[in-house]
Amino acid sequence: GQNIDQPTEMTATEGAIVQINCTYQTSGFNGLFWYQQHAGEAPTFLSYNVLDGLEEKGRFSSFLSRSKGYSYLLLKELQMKDSASYLCAFSDSNYQLIWGAGTKLIIKP
Amino acid sequence: GAVVSQHPSRVICKSGTSVKIECRSLDFQATTMFWYRQFPKQSLMLMATSNEGSKATYEQGVEKDKFLINHASLTLSTLTVTSAHPEDSSFYICSLGALTGDHNEQFFGPGTRLTVL
């Protein structure tokens, strides 16, 4: 079967670093996506990993281990505007996105 | 990336009425578009895949006669919620897939907040 799991909520302090983990199980895999979703808005693309390793993009980095079915999104130098839900999703053998429930990130001053 | 618009952004209707939501691709010819529904604090749930010029493919548990999808052109897909009831109140989001570099990325519309009284 397929499943994907990420924490429901995390809290971090402005200026700090936070890591949001995502684990998944699937027989067919065509990449792992991270999206950011602010309350009441549609998701926006953050990152894509299809090979193992770390992809860095400014303050955001995403890591993938295919053998472990594990990914994380690392956010550095947190800003108040980073308060949002972060959705991980994998692309299955049919290139359909299977979504996690999202991690609500709360940033405190 | 592709730009996707949705209309309306917010709609409130009475129970039993039908509501049409439009999803437009502004700069990309989309043969396939996706319709999602998202309840509060829950994940995106794929409802159906809209195919230009042919019937939509519905996910298990989604009633095709209740959620009518029409993809008449490469830039427009519509979702009609027929005989809406309060339990249909949700955030409806469309997206299209476009090859971006080495991956097929989904670009989302801004969403439509449906409230059925």
Side-chain angles (χ1 to χ4, degrees):
Chain A
Q2 298 176 325
N3 65 69
I4 184 165
D5 192 42
Q6 55 182 127
T8 304
E9 187 174 296
M10 298 183 71
T11 302
T13 305
E14 188 178 17
I17 299 173
V18 70
Q19 177 176 310
I20 303 174
N21 296 324
C22 174
T23 58
Y24 64 91
Q25 286 183 316
T26 179
S27 55
F29 179 79
N30 283 298
L32 192 291
F33 293 82
W34 284 95
Y35 281 78
Q36 180 190 60
Q37 186 179 25
H38 284 100
E41 299 180 10
T44 55
F45 172 82
L46 288 178
S47 68
Y48 170 77
N49 295 67
V50 68
L51 299 176
D52 291 349
L54 186 68
E55 296 276 345
E56 297 185 74
K57 191 184 295 184
R59 294 189 299 114
F60 293 5
S61 302
S62 57
F63 171 84
L64 175 67
S65 169
R66 289 171 296 171
S67 62
K68 296 181 179 179
Y70 169 68
S71 173
Y72 67 73
L73 179 70
L74 190 71
L75 294 79
K76 302 177 184 177
E77 302 170 18
L78 286 170
Q79 302 175 9
M80 297 304 293
K81 67 178 182 179
D82 297 330
S83 293
S85 286
Y86 291 86
L87 311 175
C88 67
F90 68 81
S91 178
D92 69 7
S93 56
N94 295 317
Y95 294 94
Q96 178 172 320
L97 286 185
I98 309 300
W99 295 87
T103 298
K104 182 179 180 180
L105 178 61
I106 300 169
I107 310 295
K108 295 185 176 180
Chain B
V3 180
V4 183
S5 71
Q6 268 183 255
H7 178 79
S9 58
R10 189 179 295 268
V11 59
I12 301 173
C13 68
K14 292 182 179 179
S15 185
T17 60
S18 294
V19 176
K20 179 186 282 189
I21 303 170
E22 293 186 347
C23 178
R24 291 185 184 274
S25 172
L26 301 184
D27 58 354
F28 186 81
Q29 292 189 323
T31 55
T32 302
M33 299 177 93
F34 303 93
W35 285 97
Y36 290 89
R37 180 168 53 181
Q38 187 178 33
F39 292 106
K41 298 184 179 181
Q42 294 189 24
S43 179
L44 293 170
M45 296 298 296
L46 180 65
M47 299 175 66
T49 302
S50 169
N51 304 299
E52 188 268 335
S54 65
K55 291 181 180 180
T57 304
Y58 289 82
E59 295 300 302
Q60 193 172 9
V62 178
E63 300 175 55
K64 62 180 181 180
D65 294 330
K66 180 171 180 63
F67 298 99
L68 302 178
I69 292 173
N70 185 294
H71 194 155
S73 76
L74 291 172
T75 59
L76 175 64
S77 175
T78 61
L79 168 68
T80 301
V81 183
T82 62
S83 186
H85 291 285
E87 58 265 29
D88 298 323
S89 298
S90 187
F91 192 47
Y92 292 85
I93 312 173
C94 69
S95 74
L96 62 85
L99 193 61
T100 305
D102 64 344
H103 62 277
N104 197 18
E105 184 178 328
Q106 286 201 15
F107 296 91
F108 290 87
T112 298
R113 175 75 60 189
L114 171 63
T115 303
V116 184
L117 303 177

